[in-house]
Amino acid sequence: MAEINSENINEIHFIHINGEIDAQTSIYLDNALKNAVISNEKKIIVDLLRLEYISSAGLGVFISYLDEFKIQDICMVLFGISEKVKHVFDILGLNKLLTIVETKEQAIDSFA
Amino acid sequence: MLVLISDKIKIKLSFVSGVIFWTLFTSSIIYSLFIQNYNLSVSFSSLFPKVCLTGFILSVFSYYRFIITKVDTFNFIDLLWKVFITGLVTTLISLALRFFLSVFANSTLVENPITINFFYCILIGLVMIYMISTFMVWKKLILYQKSKKLLRLWQFFELVLLASYFFDFLEVKLGEPRFNFILVLLAISSIMLIFNLKWIAYLNFKQKWKSMLFILLSAIYLYGFSKNLLQFSNTDSLIIDLFDRSFIWGMYGFLLFYAIISILVILFNLPTSSVFEKTLKEALDFQKLSQSIPRGETKNQTYEFLLDSSMSAVFATAAWLEIKEDTKISKVIRNLKEKDILKIKSTLNGSIIKSILDLELTYKINSGKFIHKLKHPQYKSIVALPILIQGNQVGFIALLSEVSNAFNPEMINIITTFVNQASISLENLSLVQESIENERYKEQLKIAKNVQKSLLPTKLINNDYLTMAAFSMAADEVGGDYYDILEYQKNKFGLIIADVSGKGTSAAFQMALMKGIFHSLGTQGVTPKDFNKKANTALSQCLELQVFITATYFDIDSEKNILHFSRAGHCPSLYYCKKENTVNYLNADGMGLGMLRNISYHNYVHSKTLKYEEEDALLLYTDGITEARNRKGEQFGSERLKKSFASHAFKLAEGIKEGIKTDLSTFIEEVVIDDDYTLVIIQFKKTTKKWLK
């Protein structure tokens, strides 16, 4: 079960993730990121405050956009990551490839 | 004993005893005549002939009981035919007697009481045979589809009949009040019985005519017999007169009345029988339709049968059927030309029925809309029914009539049931094909599973320095967990544990890829760092963008007791140190393979080295273990795994594996783990002598 909502506030594209991202629901995450790329968003903030669990398939979605974002000069920042999810990111080494901050404000500031 | 005797023998016995009793009866009658004529002073009981007659009647009853009642046939025409034939034979014999008597009329031979009584005895035999056989057939007809009440009534009737028979021993003459009482009782019970004529409903038109004829003839026989008996009765020289018997009267009346009532009822049922027959045919067609596919008939045979039975159900003069099959449309046409169909379709432009004929029906419509008038030189009305499978129109059946307003809603109901049944049959057929497809798919998955299993090492290392135990389980048929070990030099081993992101068949293919990489790099004895760098380069070329592989590569030198490893994003392995009795995670920085697909990946590759000692142990696992959840949604977690390992680490490798497995299954209870999970235990048994020095 997962719910993913996107919104645009002050030229920043927000993606809010609720629930669990597994092999099935990772498709929604993929769609959300794909839409952001298509609509030419350059500043993306992913809100993980209510993300309970993310499987390797879900992480794979983030990873699959890394190159694309670099080429298109898109900046993506994640915030609100829980201790458990952070642990998964760290083990995988994903923390070194993604910009992860603690709060929404920090995320917004990072674009300044 | 009696039960053991077969019915065939019982029939034969009844026959023989009947003949014997009749002979005894006849001779006793003639004997008593002699006594009468010559006034012999011999005491001869008048009861003896009666007893013999009773014996004869019982034998005939028993004979026909087995011949008619016991047979499990409900072919009414056959039963009536039996009555007819028995009647014919007995009547012919009795007519021959009558003929003989009339030829020799007025001669002394014929006027002799002995001759008369002898002939009368023959007639009694014939009458009894005919009446009893008819009685048995009537019984079978009356009791067809019997209820408990009816059965009781019949038993009562038989009982009264039996009582009347023994009543006759009292020599009560016809006309006496007591005699009449018995007759009234018999009449009442027969009247209650003779209106049980359910069997008539099951006759078709032809059978009804036949039965009427047979029953009419049986009634005529009865009448003939009664006349014949009456003639004898009038001679006044009879020893035993059947007309003095209420039993005969009762039976006779019952047989005759039932015959008359049956004839009348059949007669009145004749006009409706065509309707009944039609309904029966429809029911049979319906049944045939539902069985047509299971019987192995092709789709086309089902279409044809559907069309033909629908046509005959609504008296259509022409019809056609169209059904979409994959890409083509199959058609069945009756009494029509293609151009007629096009013409009819064009005249219907704009009506709902047109959308049915164009296979474009997208919504449910009222069945009243299925009927339509036609402006066609030959056909005046049309009814078209859509054929739906899982709510989608796949075809239709169109029936035409040369009469206007030829179709009514009842007809639509009938065709609708036909169409529904045919749809079910067709649906079943496609389900069968689908399940065959599924079966094939499962078979292929099984093959994939076998292939994947063969990717995991069948032989684990088990020598003086190392023991190994492993367990791997896939969530789906095939999984994406991989572990392997190889000895690239004497006492030098390459060991890997890897987990492909995602699960299922595609994960299994990536795992095969990983095995290829492990066996090509591992045999070269590369360092763990180089292994991960090279593996990442290789995998970057061929993995899908979303897919990555986490792995930890170990290099074990069992001569120097050195463990050297590099972690590529895989969950940290656990290490048990015997000397300090501690369990710790082997943390090292690293990144999953395929996550960063360029040279900068090398910056994130690190390795660590440690020296191990005797009875130290290493636990490799995949995240399926730590992420396994119980019913409350709690994960088994790395802390529980660490504790579990610590509590079993003193055991042998196999024991550690079993211990952790048990702890895990106790934690999750009966919840099924929805991921691939793998456990590998390496136990260092002995330190080498070199090192001991």
Side-chain angles (χ1 to χ4, degrees), chain B residues 26-45:
Chain B
T26 312
S27 19
S28 68
I29 290 283
I30 289 166
Y31 183 64
S32 54
L33 268 174
F34 271 112
I35 297 168
Q36 229 175 46
N37 278 7
Y38 303 104
N39 287 323
L40 297 176
S41 56
V42 185
S43 67
F44 182 73
S45 166

Side-chain angles (χ1 to χ4, degrees), chain A residues 20 30 53 56 60 91-93, chain B residues 502 546 550 567 591-592 627 629:
Chain A
E20 303 185 350
D30 189 43
Y53 166 80
S56 56
I91 283 181
L92 205 55
Chain B
Q546 298 198 354
T550 66
R567 197 181 65 84
M591 187 180 284
E627 288 178 9
R629 290 192 228 195

Side-chain angles (χ1 to χ4, degrees), chain B residues 285 289 292 297-312 319-323 330-334 387 397 399 418 422 426:
Chain B
D285 280 353
L289 210 56
S292 61
E297 280 172 15
T298 61
K299 281 183 176 179
N300 248 24
Q301 279 168 305
T302 309
Y303 301 155
E304 286 182 10
F305 193 75
L306 170 67
L307 194 63
D308 292 339
S309 27
S310 305
M311 272 179 82
S312 72
W320 88 98
L321 172 151
E322 288 180 30
I323 285 191
S330 44
K331 268 186 198 173
V332 184
I333 304 172
R334 292 279 184 270
I387 297 170
I397 173 166
L399 303 155
F418 281 171
L426 294 173

Side-chain angles (χ1 to χ4, degrees), chain B residues 143-165:
Chain B
L143 294 184
Y144 181 65
Q145 292 194 345
K146 57 180 175 258
S147 63
K148 218 172 171 181
K149 214 175 114 196
L150 181 62
L151 198 63
R152 284 223 189 99
L153 191 64
W154 178 263
Q155 283 163 348
F156 174 72
F157 175 65
E158 277 189 338
L159 217 64
V160 175
L161 210 58
L162 191 71
S164 75
Y165 186 81

